[in-house]
Amino acid sequence: MDTNQYLEVFIDESKEHLQSCSESLLELEKNPNDLAIVNDIFRNAHTLKGMSATMGFEDLADLTHKMENVLDAIRNEKIKVTPEILDVVFESVDHLEEMVNDIASGGDGKKDVRATVESLKKIELGEALTSSISNNEVAATTNVESAVLLEYDDFELTVIQQSQEQDFNTYEISVHLREDCLLKAARVYMVFELLEKLGDVIKSSPSVEKLEEEQFDNDFYIAFITKEPAEDIEKKLLKVSEVDRVIVQPVDFQVLNQAMLGTLETPQVEPPQQQVAKKESDNAPAAKKTPTKNSGGHATSKTIRVNIERLDILMNLFEELVIDRGRLQSIASELNHSELNETVERMSRISGDLQNIILTMRMVPVETVFNRFPKMVRQLTRELNKKVNLEIIGAETELDRTVIDEIGDPLVHLIRNGLDHGVESPEVRRAKGKPEEGTIVLRAYHSGNHVFIELEDDGAGINREKVLSKAISKGVVTPEVAASMTDNQVNELILSSGFSTADVISDVSGRGVGLDVVKSTIESLGGNITIESTEGKGSLFSIQLPLTLSIISVMLVEIDKEIYAIPLSSIIETSIIRSSDIMNAHNQKVIDFRGKVVPLVFLEEIFEVPRNEAIDEEFHSVVIVRKGEKMAGLVVDSFIGQQEIVLKALGNYLTNVFAISGATILGNGKVALIVDCNALIK
């Protein structure tokens, strides 16, 4: 079977199962006696093992199986959960994530995990993690209490149940061939031929087809029903040439049923001898072909997986449709034909609905980014010897995928900064009368056409004097400017490039990198970041982001014959001012806007627009824009109106054009440049 067609589904589902494992492990750390959580982790691990084996990623399946053994021992209360054991299981999940990511990148998913596997084996055997045991000792101590090796469907479980009711034995057999075995398929055939003389094979892993094609390393597993004792089966199989090791493990139906974590409705079936299929030919072994079972009244799935590239193509095609829609509207208004106007209006409404659906399809919950942070916080708090609880609110809030792809790293920087600089050590918190455990709240919510992501901590806050002292010493501000700065302006100094107030440089933060990257990344997404802080009580970092970057609403303005687009998300309002209202302050033209001094930016000068004729100097059209708490007035010739446009990149040759974030094609076929307001506001 060609498994390549299922690779994307395998990668997606593997990541989901591993994410679920990570979340459940964090819960288990808080509630170590809750076996329901262990069962949930076991189920995810068991499913991942089966998927990996089916896809032929044996290293992935093997590591998952070793981790599964430990989980099985925990849920059967043979092992107590300890922080040391959880560290090893977390490490296993990290390795599994790296292996899946390697597969997603086109690799084979192989990784040297021998140290982790050895630790898992020691945990399973109840040994201290500092001790060492040989592989032979591990093999010799494998017993009937090991985890279930194979995954069974309801039909196979029914066969096993009714076999045991008729006094048949069910075994899971692990066969290891010699490392230098040259004819693996032949040895597999000899094993199957021997077993089918003694009973019935009901399942194998890898599948029969993979065994025949030698698509396995040196181990394979068989589910077997017989009346023969385990010792006899083991002795007979060891006589097969090049079989190095055999483990015959008795299996109980109740144990299997619990492992599958499902309730079995027992249908009436024939005895196992009649149900189990024999070899399909004399030249190859065959396991039972599982019948398809009717799902009865189960509801069918209402969702499908779609390759993100297809959504990107759909979005690109729709963007072209939006451009043509604008062109049609322009033509209709020029011709002023009633039927044409009516048709264009109807098409505009329909395309508007289609636009909303397509944009919604591209929306992804921020939990896809947030989910990785609890494990990161756990690791960093242990490194920093701090106690911190991460609380996530609004993880279901949705953002465009293009924004989601970019926001992860800035949030990592902010969380690391909060852990290192913000939340104090338990000793310091006790001395301040605070609880030993600090709190970091990661919050997301919608507001209008924006999404806000906030990171709030109850730590030390920002020390104004310390920040100003560092800023003055680095030449970021002068002592005179520093004296007149507001608290919010001082707080934003920590976003300056290379700025750090850390007394000790650590691996977590304090190297003067990170927060300036946060600022530049967020601004490149059309967003902004603000900081509120109270010394001794904590800080609040607030990030404002647009819902989507593909189709945006803009105000079209004109400068001489050139048209520019200013994003509505940056605009406060538009105004017409007299020349006499313009004042000069510190060699900068400014106006008084609602009691605030707002600097003017003449776009004609910024973009060096050539003038073909003189303009009226008595009045000026001004667009008031903002970036956080800062504002500016963009002076233009005239306002054209609002419009939805498609944001297009300028291409590789125009990557560093000042104050231009992209371009769009208007309804009349002309190109309008999109103004980057963040670059103009200082």
Side-chain angles (χ1 to χ4, degrees), residues 322-327 329-330 355 551-557 563-568 640-646 664-670 672:
V322 170
I323 293 170
D324 289 337
R325 179 181 71 185
R327 177 66 175 148
Q329 290 170 332
S330 177
Q355 174 179 324
I551 297 177
I552 60 175
S553 297
V554 298
M555 165 70 76
L556 295 178
V557 299
I563 297 175
Y564 292 85
I566 303 174
L568 285 184
I640 297 175
Q642 297 182 19
Q643 186 173 321
E644 282 192 334
I645 56 99
V646 176
T664 189
I665 302 173
L666 302 176
N668 58 9
K670 293 183 178 180

Side-chain angles (χ1 to χ4, degrees), residues 104-118:
S105 302
D108 56 8
K110 293 186 179 295
K111 180 179 173 64
D112 186 0
V113 293
R114 285 176 290 184
T116 303
V117 169
E118 193 68 21

